[in-house]
Amino acid sequence: MAVKDYIRERFFPHMWCAGCGHGIVLNGLIRAVEKLGIDKSAIVMVSGIGCSSRIAGYLDFHTLHTLHGRALAFATGVKLSKPELNVIVPMGDGDALAIGGNHFIHAARRNINITAIVMNNRIYGMTGGQCSPLSGYGTLASTAPYTNVDQSFDVVQLASAAGATFVARSTGFHVQQMTEIIQEAILHNGFSVVEVMSQCPTYFGRRNRQGDAVDMLKYMQKITTPIGSKAKEQNPELIERGVFVRKELPEYCSAYDTVIRRAKEGK
Amino acid sequence: MSNNIRFVQGNEACVEGALYAGLEFFAGYPITPSTEIAEQLSSRLPKIGGKFIQMEDEIASMCAIIGASLTGRKVMTATSGPGFSLKQEALGYAIMAEIPCVIVNVQRGGPSTGIPTHVHQGDVNQARWGTHGDHAIVALTASNHQDVFAMTVEAFNIAETYRTPVVLLFDEVVGHMRERLVLPEPGEIPIVERLRTSVKPGVNYHPYLPREDGRLPMSDFGGVHRYNVTGLYHDMWGFPSDEPKIINELLHHLMDKIEHRTNQLARFKEFYTEDAECLLISYGSSARSAREVVEKHRQRGERFGLLELLTLWPFPSDLIRQKAAGARLVVVVEMNMGQMCQSVRLAVDRPERVFLSNRVDGVFISPSDIEKTLHLIQGKGV
């Protein structure tokens, strides 16, 4: 199927700013689904609130645009109720890890077969550029005019510690890698987390003097490196890209089938 | 002797009613005094192939049942006081997106953590107005286990018929008290199944385009029709819209589908109301004491009557106005600071004859408590 067959063309043009990285993620996601050849009716996309969450409405899947931070809780209901569906949850950094932090760690702990894509642009875009839990110490935001003194989460470490069985990171610059990782994440039987570093030239870039979208993408290329590279040894400041965790643990819905079997046998 | 007779807690009667109605998915979080509902369902649901999940909090439980409902299941969550506060955000979502679901609140004392193990009925107005924005809601209650069962079935039927969340507002006394419950035979109480669209694959399905009778047929997630669901104002496709006409029409639709059916949705019981000079109005466990007071006075030949409300919202104003028309005194018996009493005063003619008989110290209101109020009202001292 062509890419355009996965989108709801009547709802375009999209509402994202020029240069926004979320369109690149949308593209990568569609290509991943296309390569996997999954039936559109077998996919439920559940999103929360924010710029990232609007991705759901543009896609021709079953789409559920929910509440700020709560997408994974809604998604858990969908998945446990109908485990045969592929459930994909695109989230923003504030959505996933501030207001939705509790749902995030518990979905990871449960190891329910859902694919969470954290589109990390380090800012609350929809409300006009406030700092998020991923903005980082020393950055500027509309609610951190004298620089942000909040430390940030590391999505990969957080997801790994919380029990996610597939954890990866990519960027809007590394589109091929992003698509491959999303493919693998969807196929993974368990809770998978993919952090995609995405640029927000309108708010994060402008305020932090990172230039336009192209400058920001080039910057992502510069500050990241494949996992375990020589460059990382020489420069520990570099952010690693790739698959960090890939392990097998009982998946929640399959485990619940065991509960049903035990209940029916009276054990 | 029938083996359909049980000696159970009210919370168990609720579980039986939910399973009778076809409950298939429950998400919850432990909280007193509603926890037994979750405990029982964790055991009962998997036996019939249903799903139970203990979520990370009350918010997530409410969200999870909405997600499950969209896949075509009958769903429920249960909570008490503080948990009901936490569910308000997603309850509003279910109203806006028109998702059938049932929310049980076994009331305890508030505000805040309040008094978890004692009875209050202080969430009546929260059930009506707990979530932000204009909206309508259905809230049902009961004073005994047979009615807890029946109202639970009714809650599912109303939720499915009108694509709406329905609140079951029980209280600690009803939830924890044990009494007899006779389980109806299958088919004895009618069950409403979800109305699904007859639109064929490949033909446009509009999830928010009402039929001529106002009902909105659904299509399960995973089925052939792919559509969008959102908590934003939306068009007939379920796609966000900020068009004034669409906003106006959707809000009116959400209000009217419930408020215009107030009389149709009014469930109640009445005892000696026809000629009552003193009409007691009560609901939930306090109606038990109110009924005893009425029976005692009737035995003495005094014209006392009781109107027991089973539907609290939409508020049955017409019913109350009509039943109270001939009464000299109207006494609202409840365990809060007068939440229903306020609504009754707004509903009746001559509101100065409406009095409140309440108890708010966590102790169950007794018939003698009500008698004390009656003495005061009638100027007979305390």
Side-chain angles (χ1 to χ4, degrees), chain B residues 36-308:
Chain B
E36 294 84 4
I37 296 175
E39 285 178 337
Q40 293 259 321
L41 285 169
S42 72
S43 161
R44 297 285 296 278
L45 274 171
K47 284 183 184 162
I48 55 166
K51 306 283 172 83
F52 166 91
I53 185 168
Q54 183 172 321
M55 293 298 286
E56 56 272 21
D57 58 32
E58 301 279 5
I59 301 169
S61 312
M62 187 65 212
C63 298
I65 65 164
I66 294 171
S69 183
L70 279 162
T71 69
R73 305 248 190 187
K74 287 191 177 178
V75 301
M76 184 169 91
T77 186
T79 189
S80 298
F84 193 51
S85 295
L86 288 169
K87 291 193 192 298
Q88 296 302 327
E89 181 194 32
L91 177 60
Y93 184 91
I95 291 169
M96 181 58 119
E98 303 189 66
I99 312 294
C101 55
V102 175
I103 302 102
V104 185
N105 175 6
V106 185
Q107 295 170 91
R108 65 191 225 185
S112 188
T113 314
I115 183 85
T117 54
H118 292 230
V119 69
H120 263 234
Q121 295 169 328
D123 304 346
V124 170
N125 281 342
Q126 189 191 18
R128 176 65 188 90
W129 291 114
T131 198
H132 61 275
D134 279 315
H135 60 274
I137 193 81
V138 180
L140 309 176
T141 186
S143 64
N144 64 68
H145 294 8
Q146 209 59 50
D147 287 349
V148 165
F149 183 99
M151 285 302 108
T152 303
V153 175
E154 191 79 80
F156 280 91
N157 286 349
I158 292 171
E160 293 296 337
T161 305
Y162 302 109
R163 281 191 64 169
T164 183
V166 176
V167 177
L168 282 168
L169 211 53
F170 299 136
D171 59 55
E172 191 274 338
V173 165
V174 166
H176 281 165
M177 171 181 66
R178 283 184 187 274
E179 68 177 6
R180 196 172 98 125
L181 169 72
V182 183
L183 293 177
E185 294 295 332
E188 208 175 312
I189 304 179
I191 303 296
V192 175
E193 296 304 340
R194 185 163 298 184
L195 179 66
R196 290 183 168 86
T197 181
S198 56
V199 171
K200 299 207 164 45
V203 179
N204 276 335
Y205 160 67
H206 302 101
Y208 294 99
L209 182 66
R211 296 195 314 192
E212 269 182 23
D213 62 358
R215 292 188 69 185
L216 294 164
M218 297 185 77
S219 175
D220 300 346
F221 270 13
V224 292
H225 299 295
R226 296 181 298 274
Y227 58 95
N228 192 53
V229 177
T230 180
L232 288 164
Y233 276 96
H234 47 270
D235 58 20
M236 65 181 180
W237 304 91
F239 205 76
S241 172
D242 55 7
E243 262 186 55
K245 186 172 180 287
I246 285 176
I247 296 169
N248 187 53
E249 283 178 3
L250 178 52
L251 181 55
H252 278 92
H253 160 73
L254 295 176
M255 299 287 291
D256 294 351
K257 73 172 182 179
I258 306 297
E259 300 287 338
H260 283 184
R261 294 187 172 89
T262 299
N263 294 336
Q264 205 176 318
L265 292 167
R267 308 283 184 273
F268 62 95
K269 288 177 144 178
E270 52 189 329
F271 306 91
Y272 318 107
T273 54
E274 309 81 31
D275 63 343
E277 279 187 348
C278 177
L279 178 71
L280 271 55
I281 299 178
S282 193
Y283 56 90
S285 63
S286 23
R288 300 171 75 96
S289 294
R291 185 163 172 202
E292 188 165 319
V293 168
V294 167
E295 295 285 356
K296 205 175 92 187
H297 284 268
R298 276 283 160 181
Q299 278 167 20
R300 289 192 211 142
E302 295 164 11
R303 282 161 43 187
F304 273 58
L306 170 66
L307 177 63
E308 180 187 342

Side-chain angles (χ1 to χ4, degrees), chain A residues 16-178:
Chain A
W16 295 314
C17 303
C20 174
H22 292 352
I24 302 175
V25 183
L26 172 65
N27 192 338
L29 180 69
I30 291 173
R31 285 173 199 280
V33 171
E34 186 200 12
K35 281 184 184 157
L36 292 172
I38 307 171
D39 177 2
K40 291 192 285 184
S41 291
I43 298 176
V44 180
M45 180 163 277
V46 187
S47 66
I49 295 293
C51 298
S52 60
S53 305
R54 292 300 185 94
I55 207 170
Y58 299 128
L59 285 162
D60 187 22
F61 305 138
H62 302 282
T63 56
L64 180 55
H65 178 232
T66 68
L67 298 165
H68 195 29
R70 318 282 176 230
L72 284 169
F74 282 83
T76 299
V78 172
K79 183 67 184 179
L80 179 59
S81 181
K82 245 187 194 175
E84 64 270 28
L85 296 172
N86 295 281
V87 181
I88 304 172
V89 181
M91 295 184 285
D93 41 305
D95 189 42
L97 296 170
I99 193 163
N102 199 34
H103 308 307
F104 184 83
I105 57 173
H106 285 276
R109 172 183 63 79
R110 251 178 229 121
N111 195 35
I112 187 162
N113 190 4
I114 290 173
T115 306
I117 301 171
V118 181
M119 299 152 75
N120 175 15
N121 59 11
R122 306 175 68 187
I123 203 90
Y124 286 85
M126 192 161 271
T127 45
Q130 298 75 33
C131 57
S132 93
L134 295 177
S135 292
Y137 190 88
T139 53
L140 289 163
S142 71
T143 46
Y146 307 110
T147 76
N148 183 19
V149 291
D150 274 39
Q151 297 292 341
S152 65
F153 277 135
D154 178 318
V155 184
V156 166
Q157 285 183 13
L158 182 70
S160 308
T165 49
F166 182 94
V167 182
R169 179 190 285 131
S170 188
T171 86
F173 181 87
H174 305 90
V175 189
Q176 302 287 353
Q177 181 200 34
M178 183 218 302

